[in-house]
Amino acid sequence: MSSIAQMHRSRTVISEATTPVTVFTGFLGAGKTTLIFNLIKRADPDYKIVLLKNEFGDAETDSALARESHIEIAEMTNGCLCCVLVGQMKRALEELKEKYQPDRIIIETSGSAFPAPIAWQIREMEPSGFHLDSILTVIDCVNFCGYEDTSYTARMQAQYTDLIILNKWEQVSERQLDIVIDHVNDLNTDTPKIKAHKDVGIDPAVVFGLDTTLFRLSERPVSAAKGESGETDSSSSVHLPLGGHDHHAQEVDLVEVRRSRSDDGAQHADIIDTESFVAFLKSLPADDVYRVKGIVRLSNAVADESSADVCDAGHATAAVSGEGILYIVNHAFGRYTFTRLTLDTDRLRNTLVRVTVMGSGLRMLLPKLQSGFRAADDEISTHWACTH
C-alpha cells in the first residue's frame, strides 16, 4: 500500500472514531442562532447534530426556542465560552457525546468570544474523540461597518475563520453590500465568503467537512497556555489583548431583568401590555442596543407587523384572560422577532420577564429599560463595560 493510501486510510479511521465540531462565531445580533437552526433542519434527518450554545445571562432562551423546533441543545450561560467557561466546555462536550452519540456537534459562541481559546481546547480533546472541523464567522451586513470600528472582537472573528458567511445582505443595497465586503476584505482577503439566504440559510454540504488548519496546538503561544484547573491563564495577553479573561467586559454593557409573579400568581396587573412593549422595542436606539433577548409575558398575542418578523404560528390576537402569553423576544440592532412558547409554559408559569440586554452606553438608557420592562430596582442587575 502506498504512503498516500495509508495516510488516507488512517485519516478515514480517525474520522469514523471522532466527533467533528463546527464552531460558529460572529458579533452580537449577527443571526448565528437562526442560521444554525436552519442548517440543522436542512441536514439529513439521520445525521444527528447537537448544539452547544454559549450566552450571557441565565435566561436559557435558546433552549426554549430549540425545544419548539425539536432540536437537541445544551446551553452554557453566565460567562464567555472562550475564557471563563473554557474549562466547562470540555466537560459539556464530553457529556453531550456520551448522552447523544452525535454525528456532529455545533458550538455557537457568544457574540464577544475569541475563536482561538475555543479552537485550542477542542484540539486538545482529540485523544478523547473530538475533531475541530471548522470555524465559521457570521457577518451582519446591516451593522458590521458600525461596530467593526469599535469592537476588537468583531475584527478578530472576521480575521481568524475558515469561512465568512454574509448574513442579512438582502436588507442592504448593492452599494452597501460592496462596502461591507470591502471592509471584510481589509481584514481577511483570502478566506472564502458566501451569502446566507433568508429563511433558507446555508447548505450543510458547504460548511461541513472543511477540516480547518487554524489554531494548531504547535502554534499556540506559551502565554495562552492553561493551568491545571483547565481555565485559560488570566495573564495571557497575546490572544486576549483586551484584558485577559474578562475581555468582553471592555466592549459590552450588560443589563439583566428578572421579574416573577408571586406564588399565588396574583400579579396579573404586572403583565406587560403588548402594544406598549412593541412600541418600547421600536424606540430603542439601534446604535446603542445590540441585543434584547429573553422571555416576556405579554397581555395579548402579538399582531402581525411588517417590521417585526413575528413568528406566532397563527395564534389568535385576542387577549388571554389574566395569564398573558409567553414569548421569546429577540431584538437586534432595531429589528425584532417574537416566537410564542408552547412547550415550557408550566416550568415558566411564574415568569414575567427573563431578559438580557447587551449594548453600548446602556447606563444612560437604564431608566428607559426599567420602564419598558416595568422592573423595580431589585429586579435589574447591571455590568458596565470598562472604558479605561
Side-chain angles (χ1 to χ4, degrees):
M1 182 182 295
S2 68
S3 59
I4 294 178
Q6 288 177 334
M7 290 175 61
H8 178 75
R9 181 176 182 276
S10 175
R11 182 171 177 178
T12 301
V13 171
I14 293 175
S15 176
E16 291 174 351
T18 60
T19 302
V21 180
T22 300
V23 179
F24 275 78
T25 69
F27 200 63
L28 298 164
K32 298 185 294 295
T33 302
T34 300
L35 278 178
I36 292 171
F37 281 9
N38 285 335
L39 177 67
I40 293 174
K41 292 174 183 176
R42 290 185 64 178
D44 187 326
D46 294 329
Y47 189 72
K48 185 181 293 185
I49 301 173
V50 176
L51 172 60
L52 174 61
K53 180 175 174 59
N54 178 214
E55 190 60 89
F56 288 97
D58 65 354
E60 297 186 4
T61 305
D62 289 310
S63 287
L65 188 60
R67 282 189 284 273
E68 297 289 329
S69 301
H70 307 288
I71 292 172
E72 298 291 354
I73 182 174
E75 281 195 274
M76 299 175 64
T77 57
N78 282 320
C80 181
L81 191 61
C82 76
C83 41
V84 297
L85 296 181
V86 69
Q88 296 180 31
M89 183 184 71
K90 178 179 179 180
R91 293 189 291 274
L93 288 173
E94 291 171 340
E95 289 173 2
L96 288 176
K97 183 169 183 174
E98 180 178 356
K99 181 176 181 179
Y100 297 108
Q101 291 85 49
D103 296 302
R104 179 176 300 269
I105 295 174
I106 293 177
I107 294 178
E108 179 186 349
T109 69
S110 70
S112 61
F114 291 166
I118 298 169
W120 282 322
Q121 177 80 72
I122 297 168
R123 288 201 182 280
E124 288 179 338
M125 296 179 67
E126 287 182 358
S128 301
F130 295 90
H131 169 68
L132 178 62
D133 183 26
S134 63
I135 298 173
L136 312 175
T137 297
V138 180
I139 297 293
D140 176 355
C141 292
V142 176
N143 301 292
F144 182 77
C145 293
Y147 58 64
E148 174 227 355
D149 291 333
T150 58
S151 172
Y152 182 90
T153 305
R155 295 195 296 273
M156 176 170 281
Q157 290 169 344
Q159 287 175 307
Y160 298 99
T161 180
D162 297 289
L163 183 68
I164 291 173
I165 302 171
L166 301 172
N167 200 27
K168 308 181 188 178
W169 59 272
E170 301 98 333
Q171 300 174 28
V172 301
S173 66
E174 290 187 15
R175 173 59 180 157
Q176 290 172 312
L177 180 58
D178 287 340
I179 292 173
V180 171
I181 293 174
D182 286 343
H183 278 241
V184 174
N185 282 335
D186 286 342
L187 297 168
N188 190 338
T189 303
D190 298 329
T191 296
K193 300 162 186 68
I194 63 171
K195 292 178 179 178
H197 294 268
K198 181 177 172 59
D199 301 326
V200 177
I202 47 181
D203 188 341
V206 174
V207 298
F208 292 163
L210 295 182
D211 195 19
T212 181
T213 59
L214 293 173
F215 302 115
R216 295 186 182 279
L217 289 175
S218 59
E219 300 166 355
R220 183 176 188 173
V222 174
S223 60
K226 299 192 304 299
E228 293 181 0
S229 65
E231 304 293 339
T232 301
D233 187 346
S234 61
S235 66
S236 171
S237 60
V238 173
H239 285 277
L240 301 177
L242 293 177
H245 66 276
D246 282 331
H247 67 90
H248 48 82
Q250 304 284 344
E251 297 185 336
V252 179
D253 290 336
L254 184 69
V255 176
E256 293 185 277
V257 184
R258 302 290 181 265
R259 296 182 53 219
S260 299
R261 292 192 287 187
S262 60
D263 292 338
D264 59 8
Q267 294 177 313
H268 293 160
D270 287 339
I271 296 174
I272 299 176
D273 175 71
T274 302
E275 185 176 349
S276 299
F277 187 70
V278 171
F280 160 66
L281 288 182
K282 289 181 176 180
S283 71
L284 295 176
D287 290 340
D288 299 318
V289 180
Y290 301 160
R291 293 298 301 273
V292 178
K293 193 168 188 178
I295 297 170
V296 295
R297 186 180 295 272
L298 301 180
S299 61
N300 300 69
V302 178
D304 187 13
E305 300 184 29
S306 59
S307 62
D309 295 334
V310 177
C311 305
D312 194 29
H315 291 284
T317 59
V320 175
S321 174
E323 289 300 313
I325 306 174
L326 283 172
Y327 279 102
I328 295 171
V329 59
N330 190 351
H331 173 286
F333 295 100
R335 291 184 60 83
Y336 53 92
T337 62
F338 288 94
T339 303
R340 184 166 177 171
L341 273 178
T342 61
L343 301 179
D344 277 330
T345 53
D346 288 340
R347 184 174 66 87
L348 300 170
R349 61 183 176 274
N350 289 327
T351 296
L352 292 172
V353 178
R354 292 179 62 182
V355 167
T356 301
V357 184
M358 303 184 73
S360 174
L362 296 187
R363 189 190 299 266
M364 299 297 294
L365 291 173
L366 188 58
K368 183 180 183 70
L369 296 173
Q370 186 168 359
S371 175
F373 291 111
R374 302 183 60 177
D377 290 343
D378 61 356
E379 295 172 324
I380 292 182
S381 59
T382 61
H383 174 85
W384 307 123
C386 303
T387 56
H388 57 275

